[in-house]
Amino acid sequence: MIHASVDLAQRLEAAEALNGVECAEAHQQLNPALGATVLDVGGGFAVFVGVESPLTHALGMGMRGEVRADDMDRLEDFYRARGAVAGVDLCPLASASLVELLGNRGYRVTEFTNVLVRPLAGAEFAPAGTSVRLTYADEEHLWARTVGRGFLEKDDLTAEEVDVGNAIWHMPGSRCYLAFGGGRAAAAGAMAVRGGLATLFADSTMLGFRGAGLQGELIRERLRAAVEDGCDLATASTLPGSVSQRNYERNGFQVAYTKAILVR
């Protein structure tokens, strides 16, 4: 069993924050008019990739020490200038100063996220069959549409909705995977590796293909690749009590801690 220490949380939160930064940079590259950008603040980063985007919030704050009132002022000014609500991803092992500031400024919890981990030392995974594979270079839009259709539970996507998947595709170091069912792309996922830590994310299965084990196959194939790369640890985030959490737990993951997303 893994102990959810401050050191572990710092490692996990730093990786997620850098993924958010790279996603914003990819959005800026693909669509400069969106104005995607980041602010280095409070030991983490405030990410903006559009007013309505769920990716627009601050990550990793309070993981390296005290957060000051002027940090929160800068954060709120950053989002206010872009017409967005100020949101903060709060790790329970973050500095108590951040918790106090959020409470004093009227932030409220809007969502919880479970952060799961799995040690990889000594683990072995068989290669995936023909149903799961790494994407080819010309499958950007296929992957982006598969992710979007699974998340949004609809077939017809707007250009903006597809752009979310395209940005993940263009993140430096991002590896994108597809799972197939009935002869078509039916599920997708991604992975990023940083300093021996494999972050599994963007898991999505389209309606009509759920319950067929595709997410489990995607998890195991990414873990196999992570072990091959010499990673010692893997992590993923899910909604508490979700099917995704159950699938990750079936593949050896355990909840390290639960985070809250707060908005002002």
Side-chain angles (χ1 to χ4, degrees):
M1 179 175 292
I2 291 181
H3 173 62
S5 65
V6 172
D7 287 344
L8 174 64
Q10 287 175 338
R11 186 181 183 190
L12 299 178
E13 295 302 306
E16 184 176 12
L18 289 174
N19 284 340
V21 169
E22 289 188 355
C23 190
E25 291 172 347
H27 270 288
Q28 180 61 18
Q29 175 189 350
L30 293 171
N31 181 15
L34 180 65
T37 187
V38 299
L39 173 71
D40 187 337
V41 61
F45 298 95
V47 177
F48 175 81
V49 291
V51 172
E52 302 296 330
S53 174
L55 303 178
T56 292
H57 59 284
L59 301 161
M61 291 184 67
M63 298 306 302
R64 297 290 176 182
E66 181 183 3
V67 180
R68 304 183 306 271
D70 64 300
D71 292 320
M72 293 301 299
D73 291 340
R74 291 173 57 224
L75 172 87
E76 291 166 0
D77 289 344
F78 173 80
Y79 285 121
R80 186 182 302 112
R82 290 161 178 81
V85 174
V88 177
D89 225 22
L90 177 63
C91 173
L93 285 84
S95 169
S97 60
L98 177 59
V99 178
E100 182 177 1
L101 285 166
L102 292 170
N104 291 341
R105 291 175 179 241
Y107 283 76
R108 62 181 179 85
V109 175
T110 60
E111 188 175 296
F112 292 100
T113 302
N114 280 342
V115 178
L116 297 97
V117 293
R118 183 205 156 120
L120 295 178
E124 294 183 4
F125 300 92
T130 57
S131 61
V132 179
R133 63 168 171 78
L134 195 63
T135 51
Y136 300 140
D138 62 351
E139 291 181 322
E140 172 183 346
H141 296 297
L142 173 63
W143 188 85
R145 289 187 177 279
T146 303
V147 169
R149 287 167 175 164
F151 271 119
L152 300 174
E153 300 186 340
K154 63 180 184 178
D155 286 335
D156 296 327
L157 304 176
T158 66
E160 291 77 13
E161 290 167 344
V162 175
D163 280 348
V164 175
N166 289 337
I168 294 173
W169 176 282
H170 284 277
M171 287 170 54
S174 177
R175 306 181 199 178
C176 299
Y177 293 78
L178 285 170
F180 294 83
R184 62 178 293 194
M191 179 174 74
V193 173
R194 299 179 187 280
L197 172 65
T199 302
L200 281 60
F201 63 104
D203 295 44
S204 177
T205 303
M206 292 167 52
L207 291 174
F209 296 94
R210 296 176 180 177
L214 294 180
Q215 185 182 26
E217 293 181 29
L218 281 162
I219 291 170
R220 289 186 290 276
E221 176 59 14
R222 285 175 289 174
L223 291 177
R224 186 197 65 78
V227 169
E228 194 173 77
D229 278 2
C231 293
D232 66 291
L233 189 68
T235 184
S237 297
T238 70
L239 292 176
S242 63
V243 172
S244 286
Q245 178 180 329
R246 185 170 70 244
N247 287 337
Y248 273 99
E249 289 174 334
R250 284 173 173 169
N251 284 279
F253 285 75
Q254 68 181 62
V255 176
Y257 52 82
T258 301
K259 296 197 297 185
I261 297 177
L262 297 94
V263 299
R264 190 174 190 186

